[in-house]
Structure formats: C-alpha cells, structure tokens
Amino acid sequence: MDGLDGSDAILQQEQQQQSLNPKDWIAVDPQNAWDLLHEERSLMTRLTTSCADLDDILGGGISCKQVTEIGGVPGIGKTQLGIQLAVNVQMPSYCGGLGGKAIYIDTEGSFMGERAQEIAEACAEDISEYKRFLHKDLQACQGEIQGKDVLQNIYFFRICSYTEQIALINYLEEFISDHKDVKIVIIDSVAFHFRQGFEDLALRTRILGEMALKLVKLAKMCNLAVVLLNQVTTRYMEGSFQLSFSLGDSWSRCCTNRIILYWNRNERYAYIDKSPYLRPAAAPYSVTARGIRNSAPHCKRSKLV
Amino acid sequence: MSQIQSDPSTHNNPRPAFMTPQKLLPVEKCSLGCPILDCCMGGGIPCNSITEIVAESGSGKTQLCLQLSLRAQLPPFLGGLSASSLYLYTEFPFPTRRLHQLSSALQCQYPQIFASNYDPCDNIFLQSVNTADQLLDIMPQIESFLENSKTRLPVRVIVIDSMAALFRAEFENTASDLIRRSSLFFKISGKLKEFAKRFNLVVLVTNQVMDVVDSGEGVNEVRIGNLSGMYSSGRRVCPALGLSWANCVNSRLFLSKDEYESGLVGVGESAFLSRETRRRLHVVFAPHLPDLSCEFVIRREGVVGVNR
C-alpha cells in the first residue's frame, strides 16, 4: 500500500513541523512545503465517477483524503451518484477504482437495493469486458467480479435521527480501523435530520462543525474519500430567492471540494464550485439504466426501460 | 441473504449496526392491481419509502390511494402485503361510497380471498387530520397503533390525503412562517420515514398543484425532476409546498389530465363534440425508477393503465 506509507510520511513531516523546539521551526526549509504539496498531489488518488466528462473536470475523479460535498435539487441524481461511487470504489485501480470497500450512510431512505444491484451488475460487466479486452490472448480471467459481491462490499447504515447520525460518525474511526479496506464514506444526505426544527441554531452549527472536522480528519488519516450529499434550499438574498446548499455557510467552509448538480435545459450538469486545485468548470452527465454515464449530446434524452 | 450484524468489537454499549444492501433485496412493493401502472412504477409502490402523488383535483389521487389501501390486503402472491392500512384524510367528506364501490369490485375479482361475511373496508382505519401540528401531535398514537395493532392484518400502509391541505391555512408568506413550515415538513417526514423503516411500511402522500404564474420574464421556477414543465388541463402547474417538501419525499409521481375533442357524435343538428379526458401518470423522480410515464383511465372498478 504505497498510499498509506506516503500519508504516514506526510504526517511525520507535519509532526516535525509542529515540534515545540523553536530551532525546528526555523529549520523548516521553504522548499519543504513545496515538496509536501508536490508529494501530496502526486499521491492524490482519484475515484472515477463513470462519467468521463465529469472525471475530466475533476482531474480524474473524486479525490481521496478529502471531503467532497455534492448538492442539487431532488431528482438530479445525488443518490445515483452516491450509489455509483459506492460501487466504483471496488473496481481495480486500472479501471479507475480504489480496490476497496464502501460505507454508505443513508439518512433519507432513498437507497434502493434493486437500483444498487442494477448499477453493481453493470459495473461488474464493464470490468469483465475490460479485462477481456486487456488479456485477449490469455485464458478466462480469474476472479470475475459479480454484482452480488459488489453489494456485499457495501457497509450500509440506515440512520433515523440526528443523534444516531452523530453517534455513527463518532464510531466511524473505530469501525474503519477494524475494516481497513474501506476507501469511501458516503452520507446521503448529511442535512436531512438537521433540518427538523433545531431551536438552538448555534448548537446546530457547533454539532455540524464537529462532525465536519471528524470527517476531514478521517479522510486524511485513513486515506479515504468522504462524499457528503446535500440538499439545496431557496434562500432570500439581495431581493430575490436563490438556491443554496442547506445547513448554512459555516458548514460549507468545512468541505474541501464542492460540486453542484443542476439542470441545464434537458441535460444534467455538474459544476465544480469549490476546490483547492481545480478551476471552476461544468460538465454534462446523464443517469442511465447502467448508472452515471457521459451525456449523449444533441440527442433527445432517451427514455430508458 | 446476510443477516444484520453488529460489530464484533461491541462491548456493553450498543454500536450502530450495518448490513449489506443485499438485505434490502428484494424490495417489497404493493401492486396497484394493473400491470401497466405497476410496470411504470417498477412493480408497485415500494415499502420503506415515502411516495408522493402530485396532481390537481379530480385527477385520480384519492382513487389511487383508496385502491392501494384495498389492494394491500391481498396476499403477496396477488401483489399485496397481507396488510391493513391507516388512512389519514383532510378533505371532507371521506369518499365512503367510492371506497365501497372499489371494495365490492375487489371482492368480485377475488371471491376466494374475501369470504362473503368479510368486508375489505374493515381493514382500512380512518383518521381525519386538519393541520400539520395536529398530525405531529398524533404521531405517538400512530406509533402505538402500529406497534400493538390488534388488527386482523398488520398495518403496513399509511396514506395521507392530502399533505397540502394540512398546510393550507395557518401559514403566512413571511420568513419566520416559511421557516416554521419547512421545519414541520422535515419533522413529519422524519417521523414517517422512521415508521416506514421500523414497520416496513408503504407511505403514500398526496399533494396539490399551484398554477405557475409567468411574470413576463419567463418562468424562473426551479426545475425538479424529469419533467421540464408540468402541464395539466392546459395550464402550467408546479407541486404545492415547494422545494423544502420535495426534499422530504423519496419518490414523486405526477398525474396530468387533458381534455381533447375526440370528434362529432350523432348526426345532423343533434351532433355534438364529444370530449375525452386523457390522463397520464409520470415519474417525476424516484431513486429506483427511470423517466417513465403511462396513460390511464378511471373506471368503476378502479384506476387502470392503458396502452395507446
């Protein structure tokens, strides 16, 4: 596991930087920070979204070690993207996956087993196809991935209240230390239970802040991707109603990357709203029977059965 | 099938339990008793989920709710859940006559299931609700009703007809009222989803539509779901209760109706233009369904899909 060793190295360097001895502080070479950044960038593994256009603007896919927030109106495909990522993380790295397992935290009850199965089976087929393409002259590839195995590798939690949600987030670190092959944590959606009439908004902000901090730490320490799906809401700003992510600004500051999903005429688009490395860009995508895929341009959205 | 497992490292305090999605398969669904409608909805209305039907009045929302409540009583091999229903209604009077009509049609269809001395209407429990606060207040009673139902069949269906009516009166268009309203949405939906999960319920709610007013600069409402515009009776409409509520349901269906002049009937001076209503069911959004729609008609024996 190169990635893990690399992250340890970074952590050690960070610890050195934080040393209390003032000499160490002075001794830090400016070049070191550059090295650090450079190293981190080269180590940054990406997880494919199964939509090439979206991967392109994301620099290869959803980044590991970071928290990515994805928001959009109901029906735009947040849950579909969530399921797709939970499946894709299991693909071998030559297919754009991370060869790991997924934790899926469902707070809304929108995760449908049959839909996950459809996407998992399509993904298993794609991998077999790709393997056959790679090893044309070799005999039948070993270790054929099956749709049902893919489902087995998703640790699914259904959460029915915000207290359960907080308890689970607190427990994640322990769970992941027992299940080291987990490479992605998806929360669908992070907001639902926090919109049920919190009287004390300051308390809500504090709880959410702590939760976000834990997730940021988890992503970094355990070298995994954290994907938070969020709802959007209308907010009255400067004389008109505008769409914005729910849970407020202080929450959004905690997420490293933010992607907005929206309708542009009859096409679904994803827009990178915030990212430390990527420039703002938009790409079309579509939700097909097989999962998230490239949008077929200029043709009428096909009705899939 | 994998069982729900608790983490092996559990000591004394209970740990959140995970399962694999295979535990969620197959997704139990309640058939509407029509292959065309069922096909459009992937086999029926799913359990452990909130499904919303949006339509203007007279489109068939209540018809579908009544039909589901009756059909749920059928055994699983006939597409039902062997379950009774809790029907929360807001509009007076409750359509008792129509329910009896549908009930006797169902009895005729399955005489072997319904013995002559037993009326399917006895397995539909009615409760009138007037306001959203009242609905929230009776949630504990609903919970205990679901928990210790002494009913012949377990309660596996909750219908709320209609959600929009609960929010009709007492909310002003001020910021504080809108916040109070949306927090009520999330409280109600949170409770319903909790029940849906615990008791594996079908939750079916209805919602009304509002006319979309074109302000002259084009319509700038937020598009939600598969339809770029919802049209019914020739008018552009949008679901009541707004974006916040749309976040609270898992699936949304839209029923549209449109009148056509289908041609001249009769001869000579007594001829008149006959008008025909065409109704369609559209999947607006659903985590498990593609963008589908189908045409349907409302008959004496219930709502049925038609291939055209």
Side-chain angles (χ1 to χ4, degrees), chain B residues 53-57 59 61 207-214 219-225 227-242 252-258 280 282 284:
Chain B
I53 304 175
V54 179
E56 66 171 311
S57 58
S59 298
K61 298 189 294 279
N207 190 2
Q208 286 150 5
V209 295
M210 304 183 299
D211 283 358
V212 175
V213 185
D214 195 332
V219 182
N220 64 349
E221 48 140 351
V222 180
R223 169 173 176 174
I224 297 173
L227 302 170
S228 55
M230 293 180 166
Y231 294 90
S232 191
S233 298
R235 287 167 305 152
R236 174 128 194 214
V237 295
C238 71
L241 306 182
R252 170 173 277 177
L253 308 170
F254 171 58
L255 309 181
S256 66
K257 63 172 183 182
D258 277 295
R280 282 196 89 80
H282 309 261
V284 180

Side-chain angles (χ1 to χ4, degrees), chain A residues 190-208:
Chain A
V190 79
F192 182 73
H193 294 301
F194 288 92
R195 299 185 70 186
Q196 300 177 24
F198 257 76
E199 305 289 314
D200 186 350
L201 281 180
L203 176 70
R204 186 178 91 161
T205 309
R206 210 173 66 227
I207 291 175
L208 284 168

Side-chain angles (χ1 to χ4, degrees), chain A residues 72-76 78-80 83 107-118 148-149 151-160 164 167-168 171 174-175 178-179 192-193 195-197 199 231-234 241 243 263 265-268 301 303-305, chain B residues 1-2 7-11 15-22 24-27 29 39 42 46-49 178 182-184 186-187 189-191 193-194 197 222-228 243-244 246-250 284-293:
Chain A
V73 293
I76 194 71
K78 299 187 294 290
T79 300
Q80 306 295 321
I83 296 174
T107 68
E108 299 195 3
S110 280
F111 184 98
M112 298 292 270
E114 57 183 44
R115 183 62 181 142
Q117 192 176 33
E118 263 174 19
K148 68 173 190 327
D149 303 331
L151 289 191
Q152 214 106 51
N153 289 333
I154 300 175
Y155 300 114
F156 177 80
F157 294 87
R158 175 79 173 89
I159 292 301
C160 281
E164 273 182 53
L168 179 57
Y171 167 59
E174 189 187 325
F175 184 87
D178 292 336
H179 301 84
F192 182 73
H193 294 301
R195 299 185 70 186
Q196 300 177 24
E199 305 289 314
Q231 303 174 337
V232 291
T233 172
T234 37
F241 283 100
L243 280 187
W263 285 104
R265 298 183 181 214
N266 270 333
E267 255 184 318
R268 291 173 160 96
R301 221 149 39 91
K303 304 213 165 181
L304 296 142
V305 182
Chain B
M1 280 273 178
S2 41
D7 191 79
S9 69
T10 302
H11 305 295
R15 290 302 197 191
F18 73 85
M19 53 184 161
T20 73
Q22 273 182 302
L24 303 171
L25 288 168
V27 177
K29 288 177 184 154
C39 175
C47 293
N48 194 357
S49 191
L178 284 175
S182 92
S183 110
L184 268 174
F186 281 92
K187 278 182 190 163
S189 138
K191 264 287 178 229
K193 282 178 176 174
E194 186 196 320
K197 185 212 162 202
V222 180
R223 169 173 176 174
I224 297 173
N226 297 323
L227 302 170
S228 55
L243 176 62
S244 293
N247 278 311
C248 291
V249 299
N250 299 116
V284 180
F285 62 81
H288 61 304
L289 296 179
D291 177 6
L292 285 174
S293 74

Side-chain angles (χ1 to χ4, degrees), chain A residues 49-70:
Chain A
T49 59
S50 286
C51 167
D53 291 342
L54 186 50
D55 283 352
D56 271 354
I57 62 164
L58 286 169
I62 301 291
S63 51
C64 246
K65 287 190 176 184
Q66 289 185 340
V67 177
T68 304
E69 186 182 29
I70 303 174

Side-chain angles (χ1 to χ4, degrees), chain A residues 165-184:
Chain A
Q165 190 170 333
I166 295 165
L168 179 57
I169 305 287
N170 289 339
Y171 167 59
L172 275 184
E173 199 180 329
E174 189 187 325
F175 184 87
I176 291 168
S177 68
D178 292 336
H179 301 84
K180 290 210 167 54
D181 42 4
V182 169
K183 286 283 167 215
I184 193 168

